[in-house]
C-alpha cells in the first residue's frame, strides 16, 4: 500500500514489479491487482514466475534472460510502463528509465550499490525516481497502511506467501542464503521457539 501510494497510482495504469517473487514483490502484485492496475512482474526462476502469476500478475518475465527488457517493451508497446517497483536499483534503474511512460515513476525499494544513469532519460519523459523507506512514515501513515493491509487480508485480496523458514539460531545462514540465492520465493520467516 505504501509503495503504491508513493507512486500515486491510478486504476488502469501499468505497473512492473521487479523481483516480484519475493515477499515484498508478491504483496505489491496482489495490492496492485486489487487497485485495478495492469500488473507485470519479473522473477528469475520457473518456480518464482509461477508464484508471480498466481499472485496477481497478468504477465511475468524472466529477468535472467538477456532479452527480457525487449519482451516487456513489446508487451506494453510505445506507451511504456507507468510505475516500476524496483527491488534492485543498482542493477535495473538505467533500464527502468527507458521502460517508463511519459510521467512514469520508478519507486526504489532496494539497492545494493551505486549505478550510473543518464539524467536525460528522466527529462525526455518527465519521469520521477522516488526512494521509499517505511521507517520514514509518520505514525498516522503507518496506521493507515496497517489498516489497509489488515482489510486486504480479511477480504482475501492480500495473501502473504511464506518462503523459507529458519530457527533464530540460524539467522546468519538465513542472511547468507538471501544474499546468495538465485531468486526469492515468498517471505523469509525467522522462527522464535
Amino acid at each position: 500500500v505504501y509503495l503504491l501510494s508513493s507512486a500515486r497510482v491510478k486504476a488502469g495504469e501499468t505497473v512492473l514489479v521487479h523481483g516480484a517473487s519475493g515477499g515484498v514483490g508478491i504483496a505489491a502484485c496482489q495490492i496492485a491487482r486489487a487497485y485495478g492496475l495492469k500488473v507485470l512482474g519479473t522473477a528469475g526462476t520457473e518456480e518464482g514466475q509461477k508464484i508471480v502469476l498466481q499472485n496477481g500478475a497478468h504477465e511475468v518475465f524472466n529477468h535472467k534472460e538477456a532479452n527480457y527488457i525487449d519482451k516487456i517493451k513489446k508487451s506494453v508497446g510505445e506507451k511504456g510502463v507507468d510505475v516500476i517497483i524496483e527491488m534492485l536499483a543498482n542493477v535495473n534503474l538505467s533500464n527502468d528509465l527507458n521502460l517508463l511512460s511519459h510521467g512514469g515513476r520508478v519507486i526504489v525499494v532496494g539497492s545494493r550499490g551505486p549505478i550510473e544513469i543518464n539524467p536525460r532519460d528522466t527529462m525526455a519523459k518527465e519521469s520521477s525516481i522516488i526512494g521509499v523507506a517505511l521507517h520514514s512514515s509518520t505514525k498516522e501513515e503507518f496506521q493507515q497502511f496497517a489498516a489497509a493491509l489488515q482489510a486486504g487480508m480479511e477480504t482475501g485480496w492480500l495473501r502473504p506467501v511464506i518462503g523459507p523458514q529458519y530457527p533464530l539460531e540460524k539467522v546468519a545462514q538465513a542472511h547468507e542464503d538471501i544474499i546468495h540465492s538465485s531468486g526469492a520465493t515468498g517471505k523469509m520467516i525467522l522462527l522464535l521457539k
Side-chain angles (χ1 to χ4, degrees):
V1 177
Y2 175 64
L3 300 176
L4 296 177
S5 72
S6 297
R8 303 172 314 279
V9 297
K10 299 177 197 82
E13 287 188 315
T14 300
V15 62
L16 170 64
V17 181
H18 264 305
S21 63
V24 173
I26 289 170
C29 288
Q30 292 174 357
I31 294 166
R33 184 71 179 252
Y35 273 55
L37 302 174
K38 179 180 179 186
V39 183
L40 310 177
T42 69
T45 66
E46 190 173 318
E47 178 188 8
Q49 291 173 53
K50 286 178 186 175
I51 287 172
V52 172
L53 286 172
Q54 293 166 354
N55 284 281
H58 294 90
E59 289 183 78
V60 66
F61 303 89
N62 184 339
H63 57 236
K64 291 187 177 175
E65 289 180 1
N67 64 340
Y68 85 98
I69 295 292
D70 294 331
K71 290 180 178 181
I72 294 170
K73 285 181 180 179
K74 184 176 181 181
S75 172
V76 298
E78 288 189 28
K79 182 184 184 295
V81 177
D82 298 301
V83 175
I84 299 175
I85 307 294
E86 183 52 69
M87 309 296 173
L88 196 57
N90 60 298
V91 172
N92 299 314
L93 186 57
S94 185
N95 282 330
D96 290 346
L97 297 177
N98 290 307
L99 287 171
L100 288 176
S101 64
H102 185 83
R105 291 88 66 203
V106 178
I107 307 302
V108 177
V109 178
S111 184
R112 292 188 182 171
I115 186 170
E116 186 174 317
I117 63 166
N118 183 345
R120 289 182 180 164
D121 292 337
T122 63
M123 295 162 54
K125 296 179 182 178
E126 297 184 347
S127 58
S128 303
I129 302 168
I130 303 166
V132 297
L134 188 57
H135 63 80
S136 298
S137 300
T138 65
K139 183 178 179 182
E140 292 78 21
E141 288 171 331
F142 193 80
Q143 289 171 337
Q144 289 172 357
F145 304 143
L149 294 175
Q150 181 69 32
M153 288 186 279
E154 288 172 358
T155 59
W157 57 259
L158 182 63
R159 301 170 316 281
V161 174
I162 304 301
Q165 300 179 39
Y166 295 83
L168 188 57
E169 60 270 12
K170 300 251 181 172
V171 69
Q173 182 62 52
H175 190 256
E176 284 294 317
D177 288 354
I178 199 137
I179 288 172
H180 300 293
S181 74
S182 62
T185 50
K187 191 67 179 168
M188 179 184 286
I189 304 293
L190 289 176
L191 303 169
L192 306 174
K193 292 185 180 184

